[in-house]
């Protein structure tokens, strides 16, 4: 359901392009996909991009979505995993993710956790990573596929009124959106070292995504 919604709606909101590192256009089963997190709209970009690569992933998402009538049941049925941030049960999400990886599913986890507290529409590099990605990768041995994207904040950013206005006007503005899928990496060392490796990989993928935007847009990025 999430992938179907993304591939239908995202092309209406902007011009989405997707690139991959090297010549491979596939993601191996049992991989962890780690995107940067910058706006409410970016999960849609990532899912739409993954669909183009033939991937229907399991997504670790905030548990609040499971409280939405009907949606919560659909998310559970499709195998997506709720994350209860700041609670003792948050670690259980990683156990469920490990099970999905063992079953050959591709799992999407946002290593930054929440969204940045900014109101501007410019793209910025990834913020501080939490340790969940490193712990999952080190425990399972799964490769991490870094994903960088740019342009999502041109759809939705700022306060609630601005966010709503951004979504409503996006089909007319048609902002440029780009997702870059990097080469997989195998994290090594302790949790701190692995987290640093992951952040560098996602940062590099984000730089690639920014580089694919038109020069007029790139000038406004920081």
């Amino acid at each position: 359901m999430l992938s179907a919604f993304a591939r239908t709606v995202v092309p209406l909101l902007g011009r989405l392009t997707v690139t991959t590192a090297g010549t491979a256009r596939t993601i191996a089963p049992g991989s962890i996909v780690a995107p940067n997190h910058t706006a409410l709209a970016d999960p849609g970009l990532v899912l739409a991009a993954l669909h183009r690569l033939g991937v229907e992933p399991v997504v670790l998402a905030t548990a609040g979505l499971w409280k939405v009538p009907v949606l919560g049941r659909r998310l559970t049925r499709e195998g997506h995993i709720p994350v209860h941030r700041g609670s003792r049960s948050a670690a259980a999400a990683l156990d469920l993710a490990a099970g999905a990886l063992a079953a050959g599913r591709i799992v999407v986890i946002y290593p930054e956790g929440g969204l940045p507290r900014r109101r501007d529409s410019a793209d910025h590099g990834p913020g501080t990573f939490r340790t969940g990605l490193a712990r999952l990768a080190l425990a399972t041995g799964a490769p991490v596929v870094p994903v960088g994207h740019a342009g999502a904040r041109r759809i939705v950013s700022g306060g609630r009124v601005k966010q709503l206005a951004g979504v409503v006007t996006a089909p007319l503005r048609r902002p440029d959106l780009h997702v870059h899928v990097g080469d997989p990496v195998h994290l090594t060392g302790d949790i701190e070292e692995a987290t640093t490796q992951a952040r560098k990989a996602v940062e590099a993928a984000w730089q690639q995504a920014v580089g694919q935007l038109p020069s007029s847009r790139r000038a406004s990025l920081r």
Side-chain angles (χ1 to χ4, degrees):
M1 180 191 66
L2 292 181
S3 294
F5 180 81
R7 69 174 179 262
T8 301
V9 174
V10 170
L12 300 177
L13 299 177
R15 293 181 289 268
L16 175 65
T17 53
V18 181
T19 53
T20 58
T23 58
R25 287 186 57 83
T26 60
I27 297 177
S31 296
I32 305 170
V33 171
N36 62 304
H37 202 13
T38 183
L40 288 171
D42 63 51
L45 272 65
V46 171
L47 289 174
L50 292 178
H51 176 74
R52 294 188 184 183
L53 302 181
V55 173
E56 303 287 342
V58 169
V59 181
L60 275 75
T62 178
L65 294 176
W66 272 255
K67 297 179 181 179
V68 179
V70 181
L71 176 62
R73 291 195 298 273
R74 291 292 299 274
L75 293 174
T76 299
R77 189 183 312 143
E78 294 177 10
H80 301 296
I81 300 170
V83 179
H84 299 268
R85 293 173 183 156
S87 71
R88 293 182 179 179
S89 61
L94 296 183
D95 293 334
L96 292 172
L101 292 169
R105 299 295 303 271
I106 291 171
V107 172
V108 174
I109 180 172
Y110 281 88
E112 295 167 83
L115 291 167
R117 295 183 178 181
R118 296 189 287 105
R119 289 181 174 267
D120 62 278
S121 61
D123 282 289
H124 293 254
T128 302
F129 276 23
R130 301 190 180 192
T131 61
L133 170 62
R135 287 188 284 135
L136 179 62
L138 292 175
T140 62
V144 174
V145 179
V147 171
H149 58 80
R153 293 187 67 84
R154 291 297 302 272
I155 297 176
V156 56
S157 61
R160 291 184 179 180
V161 173
K162 184 181 177 182
Q163 290 180 28
L164 179 59
V167 172
V168 171
T169 61
L172 300 176
R173 294 183 289 110
R174 304 288 294 160
D176 294 296
L177 313 167
H178 189 81
V179 177
H180 179 76
V181 181
D183 285 322
V185 296
H186 285 85
L187 304 186
T188 58
D190 59 23
I191 291 177
E192 182 178 354
E193 293 169 333
T195 298
T196 299
Q197 293 166 20
R199 190 184 182 285
K200 288 181 178 178
V202 175
E203 170 84 23
W206 175 78
Q207 292 284 1
Q208 289 289 330
V210 169
Q212 295 295 324
L213 294 180
S215 58
S216 59
R217 282 278 296 112
R218 257 181 277 163
S220 68
L221 301 177
R222 289 179 279 172

